[in-house]
Amino acid sequence: MVADLPGRTSQIRRVKIAGLSTYVPPRVLTNADLERMVETSNEWILQRTGIRERHIVDPGVATSDLAKIASEGAMAEAGITADQLGFIVVGTTTPDTIFPSTACVLQEKIGAPNAWGFDLGAACSGFTFALNTAAQMIATGNCDYALAVGADVMSSIIDYTDRSTCVLFGDGAGAVVLAPAADGEPSILDFAGKIDGSGGPALCMPAGGSRMPASKETVEQRMHYVKQEGATVFKFAVKNTEEIARRLFERNGIDASQIDLFVSHQANRRIIEAAADRMGLAPEKVVINLEKYGNTTAGTIPLATQDAIDAGKLKKGDLVVFAAVGAGYTIGTNLWRWAI
């Protein structure tokens, strides 16, 4: 319960996803294209990641541009207009600028005069964190409609001379509109999150912040690009994807066999399959679509969810789990009864 305040409900409300939409830029970068750019091969990339191609923006296209298209689609599916939004949260690692926030830019682009909001930095866990943050705004009566976005233009921070990272990432966005759930409607059930700062050096962009501002030296040393210790990140992701999902299952008295769909962050096919296998999930309950998009960071879960809907693998009332591990380290999981 929350204290009675003017204009606010005193009852914690149940929350549903009322609309979902995604967007990727039309330009495609294939493994064959990368073979001509760095010392790699289609076979090497497929064997280690499962990725065949990824979508890349044209010069001058920003995260807010992708987020705008996804957000407008989500509002259309939810049947609302932008002036009904009360809150916007954008999970992103690649904001248009350090300030103003991409949430502010997006608010202006979609014409949402009554919304407040901010950016949320949780790397690949950005969408799961943003989703829970927006859900709390609805649950506590702060607003009736909230927009949660996961969007990244990873090509803007990828070193296309580094074969260990440039094969992994793509650009994309997804957005959901959250709203109060009526009695009996499917809704969000729970969220679990965790951070572990000891893993920060294993996946990071070393320069560009207050500790190491941009300089001639940082640019020459290519420190404004993603750096990753692949094996370290792999082990952490497999272990913690399983552990945090099980935390939700145990807290809600359910077994993994009751899950209808597992939507993991799409970083690496082997990570997803290993985590799902540890949980005892049947392959048909697991979404893997990274072969088409690569790792779009905060965009992967909405993109995978949309593909599951399009393929008939997710329907209203299904029990669905979103799970992500990202730089930081950050770990986030959402448990839902699907409502659309």
Side-chain angles (χ1 to χ4, degrees):
M1 304 290 286
V2 296
D4 289 320
L5 294 171
R8 287 186 60 179
T9 178
S10 60
Q11 182 70 39
I12 295 294
R13 302 187 294 185
R14 295 166 58 250
V15 182
K16 67 178 181 179
I17 290 180
L20 163 70
S21 184
T22 61
Y23 178 74
V24 292
R27 179 184 167 201
V28 175
L29 184 69
T30 67
N31 289 351
D33 295 326
L34 287 165
E35 286 178 339
R36 294 188 286 270
M37 296 166 61
V38 293
E39 186 180 346
T40 191
S41 69
N42 177 59
E43 292 74 18
W44 188 90
I45 298 169
L46 277 175
Q47 180 182 2
R48 287 162 177 79
T49 70
I51 301 168
R52 293 183 182 275
E53 61 186 31
R54 65 289 292 149
H55 291 251
I56 303 295
V57 300
D58 290 326
V61 176
T63 294
S64 66
D65 296 315
L66 309 188
K68 174 181 183 290
I69 297 170
S71 298
E72 290 175 338
M75 289 187 290
E77 184 175 40
I80 70 165
T81 55
D83 60 358
Q84 292 176 269
L85 288 174
F87 178 70
I88 299 169
V89 56
V90 179
T92 186
T93 301
T94 56
D96 288 19
T97 55
I98 293 178
F99 65 89
S101 72
T102 300
C104 287
V105 177
L106 179 61
Q107 180 263 351
E108 193 276 333
K109 285 188 173 184
I110 64 176
N114 301 311
W116 70 283
F118 48 81
D119 290 355
L120 188 155
C124 297
S125 303
F127 183 74
T128 60
F129 280 36
L131 196 55
N132 185 61
T133 302
Q136 297 305 312
M137 296 297 173
I138 304 294
T140 56
N142 184 278
C143 59
D144 288 330
Y145 297 101
L147 183 67
V149 180
D152 275 296
V153 175
M154 290 303 293
S155 59
S156 66
I157 58 170
I158 295 302
D159 183 353
Y160 285 96
T161 69
D162 177 5
R163 70 171 186 169
S164 68
T165 57
C166 72
V167 303
L168 302 176
F169 295 93
D171 303 335
V176 295
V177 170
L178 301 173
D183 290 343
E185 271 194 300
S187 64
I188 187 172
L189 301 176
D190 205 354
F191 169 82
K194 176 183 176 181
I195 61 173
D196 181 352
S198 67
L203 180 53
C204 64
M205 188 174 77
S210 60
R211 180 173 298 280
M212 196 177 296
S215 67
K216 181 175 181 290
E217 289 73 23
T218 63
V219 171
E220 288 177 343
Q221 294 173 31
R222 308 184 77 81
M223 300 179 72
H224 296 267
Y225 294 118
V226 171
K227 308 295 182 183
Q228 175 173 273
E229 297 172 12
T232 302
V233 174
F234 182 97
K235 292 175 183 177
F236 185 91
V238 171
K239 178 176 183 289
N240 284 274
T241 298
E242 178 204 4
E243 287 185 357
I244 201 163
R246 287 196 182 279
R247 186 194 307 179
L248 278 189
F249 300 162
E250 293 169 4
R251 200 156 70 192
N252 289 274
I254 63 174
D255 184 81
S257 64
Q258 296 173 262
I259 300 300
D260 294 300
L261 193 69
F262 176 61
V263 186
S264 175
H265 168 56
Q266 304 286 305
N268 182 295
R269 173 179 285 274
R270 293 184 298 159
I271 291 174
I272 299 168
E273 290 177 339
D277 183 65
R278 287 188 178 199
M279 287 185 277
L281 292 171
E284 61 268 21
K285 294 185 176 184
V286 181
V287 182
I288 301 178
N289 74 342
L290 80 168
E291 69 173 19
K292 300 188 298 181
Y293 305 119
N295 181 352
T296 58
T297 304
T300 67
I301 287 179
L303 283 166
T305 303
Q306 185 65 65
D307 276 7
I309 293 170
D310 294 344
K313 297 182 68 172
L314 178 59
K315 60 186 183 301
K316 188 172 183 177
D318 280 352
L319 189 61
V320 56
V321 175
F322 297 160
V325 173
Y329 293 115
T330 60
I331 311 156
T333 307
N334 313 91
L335 180 65
W336 295 83
R337 284 284 179 191
W338 195 247
I340 55 177

